Amino acid sequence: MNATPRLGLRANWAQFSLLVLVNAFVGAMVGLERTLLPLLGEQRFGLGATTAVLSFIAVFGLSKAASNALAGSLGERWGRKPVLVLGWLLALPVPVLLMTAKSWGWVVAANALLGLSQGLTWSTTVIMKIDLAGPARRGLAMGLNEFAGYLAVAGAALLTGYAATRWGLGPEPFALGLGFAAAGTLLSVLLVRETHTHAALEASEAPSPPPDSPFLRTSFRDPTLASACQAGFFNNLNDGLAWGLFPLVFAAAGLSLGRIGWLVALTPAVWGLGQLWTGAASDRWGRKPFIVAGMAVQALGIAGVALSAAFPGFALSAALLGLGTALVYPTLLAAVGDAAHPSWRAKAVGTYRLWRDSGYAAGALLAGGIADAFGVKAALWSVAALTLASGVRVAYRMPRRRAEVPARAGANAGE
């Protein structure tokens, strides 16, 4: 542990870069499932109802949402590193369960574990990067974090799609997860260092008593934090729909597994690459314009999938969804970091991510229910409308302000 911590990306570049790499393996564990699981449920296990196919996303979202909230509290109590390591230990059985699944229940159980793992690992890498970066480059830090995670989601989705073209939907594509989980665990245990002292340093420079209830303030009372929570919820609601329904839509259009893999990978690839610019740009121009514009572009991308019938239209729509999410994702995290004091920021991040990842479960249940009752296109149009409405709510409620950078930040940030 560093006895004299300093804030800033330059001062902490080695640990920050290591955490970026760790988060890439976190993202790869999700990418392992993005292409294949909806098709696996429909084709191997014979699930007829869309709601049943999407049940794995609902379980994933609920378990991840719960562990997000837990990650913030445990990170304050135990420190960041033990929570990160615990999350990776929960990930180790996931690829084994997927490879040996005898029924759909095994897949659902694997996703309960994956959700718990993702909430602890991804939330903790976010908190640790915010700790290290300090206030001056918070948007850039979140852009780099989410870039690594979602580019890895895209890469793993593409790799599993190609593996499935050779070996089918059997155990071989999921074997990649054994390497991802082992690498993330070893890096976290052996090389990652604790960052709680960096948060304590920042808090000492701007002392402020914590609110009576960080959960209530983050969820409802603070207009910036509450706006971020509802936008994050609808962002992941539409991502739950994309995860569960897009592969089924593409397969129904007659596309091969290889082409489906490309389309599924396209959204997180654009999402990941775009965040290299959007996070840093929001440091300069403020968070709100990126969030409002991003929700509108996401809605356009989902509507485009509903209107398309062939690969070019699907590809353009998937890219638009990725672009919209790139505008929103790191900016929301940075906005939470701006509005929450360092002394209770881990709890605020955990609360935000609880609401955001609850959207996975809501998206799976809502999209599945509408698709079973009225058809897949009705589900797509409904979620597109909800996403647009969420952006309008941010436009009206969230204050417009740039990141708040204390006067001493530049001197201490090492920038």
Side-chain angles (χ1 to χ4, degrees):
M1 184 181 296
N2 189 351
T4 56
R6 297 179 61 206
L7 303 179
L9 295 180
R10 188 179 302 168
N12 297 288
W13 69 269
Q15 273 295 298
F16 189 92
S17 300
L18 175 62
L19 288 166
V20 168
L21 178 60
V22 169
N23 205 53
F25 288 114
V26 177
M29 291 297 294
V30 177
L32 192 71
E33 300 189 345
R34 295 284 292 205
T35 301
L36 301 185
L37 281 200
L39 301 174
L40 191 72
E42 189 175 67
Q43 296 178 21
R44 174 182 286 186
F45 294 111
L47 301 179
T50 306
T51 306
V53 175
L54 271 58
S55 59
F56 78 94
I57 301 176
V59 169
F60 170 85
L62 289 173
S63 62
K64 187 181 178 191
S67 64
N68 279 328
L70 192 61
S73 297
L74 292 180
E76 296 289 3
R77 185 178 305 170
W78 295 352
R80 311 333 190 188
K81 178 172 177 172
V83 180
L84 178 63
V85 172
L86 174 61
W88 275 115
L89 293 176
L90 291 171
L92 290 172
V94 171
V96 178
L97 286 170
L98 294 174
M99 292 170 67
T100 58
K102 304 298 183 184
S103 69
W104 189 245
W106 289 43
V107 175
V108 173
N111 275 269
L113 276 177
L114 182 63
L116 291 172
S117 168
Q118 289 280 305
L120 297 178
T121 52
W122 206 311
S123 284
T124 304
T125 60
V126 165
I127 293 166
M128 294 176 89
K129 289 186 184 71
I130 292 176
D131 290 344
L132 294 173
R137 294 291 183 268
R138 193 167 280 139
L140 174 60
M142 292 301 92
L144 291 168
N145 184 77
E146 303 304 292
F147 154 76
Y150 284 96
L151 200 64
V153 171
L158 189 60
L159 283 173
T160 54
Y162 271 108
T165 63
R166 179 170 181 180
W167 291 294
L169 297 174
E172 290 85 358
F174 299 115
L176 294 166
L178 297 173
F180 300 152
T185 302
L186 289 173
L187 288 172
S188 299
V189 170
L190 299 176
L191 298 178
V192 169
R193 295 201 300 267
E194 181 58 59
T195 65
H196 193 273
T197 53
H198 292 75
L201 172 63
E202 187 181 347
S204 71
E205 295 181 348
S208 175
D212 292 337
S213 173
F215 175 82
L216 291 178
R217 180 165 180 175
T218 303
S219 301
F220 306 111
R221 294 171 181 167
D222 184 284
T224 296
L225 294 172
S227 295
C229 286
Q230 72 85 15
F233 176 87
F234 284 103
N235 178 92
N236 277 22
L237 185 148
N238 67 52
D239 189 43
L241 170 135
W243 185 354
L245 288 190
F246 281 13
L248 302 180
V249 171
F250 302 151
L255 300 183
S256 67
L257 276 173
R259 300 199 99 187
I260 292 172
W262 272 104
L263 288 172
V264 170
L266 184 58
T267 293
V270 174
W271 175 352
L273 289 168
Q275 290 174 123
L276 287 174
W277 175 76
T278 58
S282 75
D283 286 331
R284 176 174 297 179
W285 294 311
R287 318 301 188 196
K288 180 176 177 178
F290 288 85
I291 297 167
V292 173
M295 300 302 282
V297 176
Q298 284 181 346
L300 185 62
I302 296 167
V305 172
L307 293 170
S308 300
F311 186 87
F314 290 141
L316 176 60
S317 301
L320 282 173
L321 181 58
L323 175 61
T325 311
L327 290 166
V328 168
Y329 225 70
T331 315
L332 285 171
L333 280 167
V336 173
D338 295 340
H341 189 267
S343 64
W344 52 277
R345 186 169 57 210
K347 292 180 180 177
V349 170
T351 299
Y352 160 72
R353 288 173 62 85
L354 180 152
W355 285 109
R356 193 194 67 187
D357 289 326
S358 297
Y360 277 125
L365 295 173
L366 179 67
I370 295 175
D372 286 335
F374 304 106
V376 170
K377 287 195 174 182
L380 295 172
W381 283 111
S382 297
V383 172
L386 288 171
T387 301
L388 183 61
S390 174
V392 171
R393 180 166 174 78
V394 172
Y396 277 95
R397 189 178 185 201
M398 178 180 276
R400 180 167 182 173
R401 63 185 182 191
R402 297 185 180 183
E404 296 180 0
V405 181
R408 292 183 60 192
N412 194 30
E415 300 295 351

